[in-house]
Amino acid sequence: MIQLDSVCFAYEGHIALRNISLDIAKGETVVLQGANGCGKSTLLKLLNGLVFPEQGRYLFDGQEITEQVLKNSLFSRRFHQRIGFIFQNADVQLFCGSVQEEIEFGPRQMGLSEEEIVQRTEDVMALLDIAHLKGRAPYQLSGGEKRKVAIACILSMNPDVLVLDEPLAGLDRKSQIWLVSFLQQLRKAGKTMILSTHNEELAHSLGDRLVYMNEDHEIASIVRNR
Ligand SMILES: Nc1ncnc2c1ncn2[C@@H]1O[C@H](COP(=O)(O)OP(=O)(O)OP(=O)(O)O)[C@@H](O)[C@H]1O
Ligand SMILES: [Mg+2]
């Protein structure tokens, strides 16, 4: 489903990804690990079409993802429906006036009927136990609440692939336990997931494969976990 061939990327000359080659199959869960600054978030951004390889290629379902290809708005919309990204910092992805509008935004962009939009929004709010937040302004929520809203927004579009950057960061113990078991359910249901974490426990409990990056921004090793 996802194929990276010798991908390199630098931010204005500052190298962030070096020679990354990785194939991810449909239904697989891959966990990225490595020290601060090794390139995990950059790799996840690249998978989501926010940055592009300077060398090498990124193929999603056989289609090379380039800046040019994503300029096609129809393709871009389809692509972003199929791959959902939850940022390390939820603030950058929440921009609506209320939690409900925020969750409805994706399904509305997809052109679903009003009935379907309302149904999906109710379903994900129930799933994430955030119905009581629906009238609140997202920017006023706590970090953990924002994370749940960000997850709800992505799930409401039912993407084939979920990309999560440090999903446990900033969550209290109870929310962490809840989120780990929630992600385990998604994995069992066959969702393709790619996530980064500094949490060994999460990596081992969730990852089919663990990908370790080193401080030279390369893949140091790939370990099969199950
Ligand atoms: N917007 C940016 N402009 C310039 N350099 C950046 C930018 N974002 C990241 N970098 C640099 O790219 C490298 C990789 O950063 P990245 O955020 O991908 O690391 P990370 O593995 O996610 O780290 P962390 O564990 O702290 O989240 C780092 O050296 C970082 O300083
Ligand atoms: Mg990061």
Side-chain angles (χ1 to χ4, degrees):
M1 180 156 234
I2 283 173
Q3 194 181 341
L4 296 168
D5 292 330
S6 309
V7 167
C8 298
F9 176 80
Y11 294 98
E12 289 149 13
H14 184 102
I15 186 93
L17 298 175
R18 202 189 298 272
N19 211 18
I20 302 290
S21 293
L22 181 66
D23 288 356
I24 300 170
K26 192 172 184 327
E28 198 179 17
T29 297
V30 168
V31 181
L32 286 181
Q33 292 189 274
N36 291 132
C38 70
K40 303 179 298 296
S41 294
T42 306
L43 181 54
L44 298 181
K45 283 180 194 160
L46 187 132
L47 293 178
N48 208 53
L50 299 172
V51 301
F52 302 93
E54 283 167 10
Q55 286 172 41
R57 300 198 311 160
Y58 164 31
L59 281 82
F60 182 85
D61 237 0
Q63 164 71 56
E64 186 171 1
I65 303 300
T66 61
E67 197 160 7
Q68 199 57 37
V69 161
L70 287 186
K71 278 190 182 136
N72 176 331
S73 56
L74 190 65
F75 179 83
S76 171
R77 201 180 326 154
R78 281 283 302 136
F79 174 69
H80 289 294
Q81 278 164 20
R82 295 195 58 199
I83 181 161
F85 187 26
I86 293 153
F87 287 79
Q88 191 161 358
N89 172 5
D91 280 320
V92 303
Q93 69 188 120
L94 302 173
F95 49 84
C96 291
S98 75
V99 166
Q100 181 167 353
E101 286 169 52
E102 195 75 63
I103 298 170
E104 286 174 351
F105 183 82
R108 212 170 281 283
Q109 290 292 102
M110 291 168 72
L112 299 178
S113 70
E114 199 57 37
E115 195 183 350
E116 177 77 17
I117 293 168
V118 169
Q119 190 62 52
R120 284 198 186 196
T121 303
E122 280 181 7
D123 289 349
V124 294
M125 285 196 299
L127 191 66
L128 286 135
D129 195 20
I130 53 170
H132 59 290
L133 301 176
K134 71 178 177 188
R136 301 270 305 276
Y139 68 88
Q140 290 176 343
L141 302 176
S142 79
E145 289 168 341
K146 282 180 188 164
R147 178 73 45 79
K148 288 188 180 178
V149 172
I151 293 172
C153 290
I154 300 303
L155 290 181
S156 69
M157 291 190 281
N158 192 23
D160 298 331
V161 181
L162 265 184
V163 177
L164 303 109
D165 198 358
E166 307 280 353
L168 296 188
L171 296 185
D172 62 30
R173 187 79 191 138
K174 180 166 165 248
S175 300
Q176 287 196 1
I177 291 168
W178 174 85
L179 186 55
V180 172
S181 87
F182 182 68
L183 294 175
Q184 272 163 344
Q185 284 170 36
L186 289 179
R187 189 185 74 77
K188 284 194 194 117
K191 194 66 86 185
T192 309
M193 291 195 284
I194 302 129
L195 56 136
S196 73
T197 186
H198 290 290
N199 185 313
E200 285 284 334
E201 205 182 312
L202 174 70
H204 283 93
S205 70
L206 206 61
D208 296 317
R209 279 188 299 158
L210 313 180
V211 173
Y212 293 91
M213 291 182 69
N214 63 24
E215 294 186 0
D216 287 329
H217 314 286
E218 303 161 321
I219 292 180
S221 61
I222 300 180
V223 176
R224 183 158 288 285
N225 189 37
R226 58 168 70 80

